[in-house]
């Protein structure tokens, strides 16, 4: 069974130098990153376009760490198999996207990946309640999805992290709780206190003067 208390730091490639993607991925691994977070945006579900399965496939041979693919796309049910083929280890889909959530989550597992369910800041926690018994990871977005470098939305999102932990304990479930957006050493401490164990960070790690010490600080925050 997974260890929901193990602290996992996941550098987000969105904030890396895309002219040197392989080198940046290796730098994240050499600096102590546990998972590599990859943000896929389609210009429909969010107001930004990032990259697709070919980018994920290009990064795959560069590192050994698990690839944590976050799909901010309107039809994750249609496109997730391409990310499985590209080498994703975990695939997270949004509860707000246009798909049969339960079916997509079980198909991701059947394909041999860890599944994740993401909830945006404006969506009430109740939206994920029906799916908690079938997930490996709950992603509580701590900014509105679409762009890196935004400010951590503590008041709107920390009650959801706490609710995720409460439901997990109350119902004897097992899933990671991940936070994503505006995470640095200080906000990591806040999120961890509320129950998050997987910390995604783009700007605060890739733009840090020393990524290894930034990761180390986040690990104990
Ligand atoms: C935002 C993405 C995040 C992004 C976080 O929609 O899901 O993963 O990379 O970036 P920072 O850490 O800069 O807020
Ligand atoms: Zn993300």
């Amino acid at each position: 069974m997974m260890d929901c208390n193990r602290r996992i730091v996941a550098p987000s490639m969105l904030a890396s130098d895309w002219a040197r993607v392989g080198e940046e991925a290796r730098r994240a691994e050499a600096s102590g990153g546990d998972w590599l977070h990859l943000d896929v945006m389609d210009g429909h579900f969010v107001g930004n376009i990032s990259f697709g399965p070919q980018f994920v496939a290009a990064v795959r041979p560069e590192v050994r760490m698990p690839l944590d693919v976050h799909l901010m796309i309107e039809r994750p049910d249609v496109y997730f198999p391409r990310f499985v083929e590209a080498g994703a280890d975990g695939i997270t889909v949004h509860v707000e996207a246009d798909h049969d959530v339960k079916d997509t989550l079980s198909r991701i597992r059947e394909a041999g990946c860890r599944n994740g369910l993401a909830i945006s800041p404006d969506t009430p926690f109740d939206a994920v309640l029906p799916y908690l018994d079938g997930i490996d990871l709950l992603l509580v977005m701590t900014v509105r999805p679409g762009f890196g470098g935004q400010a951590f939305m503590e008041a709107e999102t920390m009650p959801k992290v706490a609710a995720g932990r409460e439901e997990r304990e109350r119902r004897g479930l097992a899933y990671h709780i991940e936070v994503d957006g505006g995470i640095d050493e200080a906000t990591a401490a806040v999120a961890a206190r509320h129950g998050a164990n997987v910390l995604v960070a783009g700007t605060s790690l890739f733009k840090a003067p020393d990524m290894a010490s930034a990761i180390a600080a986040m690990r104990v925050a």
Side-chain angles (χ1 to χ4, degrees):
M1 194 183 264
M2 76 179 67
D3 180 2
C4 305
N5 296 311
R6 179 184 152 228
R7 186 77 65 89
I8 292 166
V9 179
S12 170
M13 286 296 286
L14 197 63
S16 71
D17 177 354
W18 290 11
R20 299 158 43 248
V21 166
E23 210 178 301
E24 288 284 78
R26 293 196 302 275
R27 180 163 76 96
E29 184 164 70
S31 302
D34 300 294
W35 295 355
L36 192 64
H37 188 80
L38 294 161
D39 289 299
V40 177
M41 307 177 184
D42 67 352
H44 293 276
F45 183 73
V46 291
N48 196 10
I49 299 176
S50 60
F51 49 74
Q54 285 172 287
F55 185 98
V56 176
V59 168
R60 177 65 287 177
E62 300 292 329
V63 291
R64 282 183 303 273
M65 61 183 156
L67 302 184
D68 181 39
V69 174
H70 176 194
L71 298 183
M72 285 163 275
I73 66 177
E74 201 60 61
R75 292 298 303 269
D77 53 330
V78 172
Y79 290 101
F80 89 79
R82 301 197 203 176
F83 293 91
V84 176
E85 270 175 53
D89 296 277
I91 296 185
T92 297
V93 298
H94 271 261
V95 70
E96 303 89 359
D98 179 16
H99 62 130
D100 178 335
V101 174
K102 200 174 175 140
D103 184 62
T104 307
L105 290 168
S106 59
R107 285 171 54 213
I108 293 171
R109 270 191 184 167
E110 281 160 25
C113 287
R114 168 181 53 67
N115 73 22
L117 183 61
I119 178 168
S120 293
D122 296 327
T123 306
F125 183 76
D126 286 4
V128 299
L129 273 177
Y131 311 112
L132 296 179
D133 61 354
I135 64 172
D136 304 311
L137 178 146
L138 176 67
L139 167 52
V140 177
M141 287 300 299
T142 42
V143 298
R144 292 198 179 84
F147 297 89
Q150 304 180 73
F152 180 70
M153 298 169 69
E154 177 170 352
E156 296 86 343
T157 66
M158 288 304 101
K160 286 194 266 191
V161 171
R165 174 163 67 181
E166 274 163 34
E167 279 298 303
R168 186 177 66 196
E169 308 313 317
R170 194 175 66 78
R171 294 164 61 185
L173 303 173
Y175 48 79
H176 295 289
I177 300 178
E178 181 176 65
V179 285
D180 181 10
I183 301 296
D184 58 18
E185 187 181 346
T187 58
V190 174
R193 194 165 68 233
H194 285 84
N197 70 301
V198 184
L199 308 168
V200 176
T203 309
S204 75
L205 296 183
F206 278 97
K207 312 284 190 226
D210 176 4
M211 195 193 285
S213 50
I215 290 177
M218 211 171 267
R219 198 181 291 292
V220 297

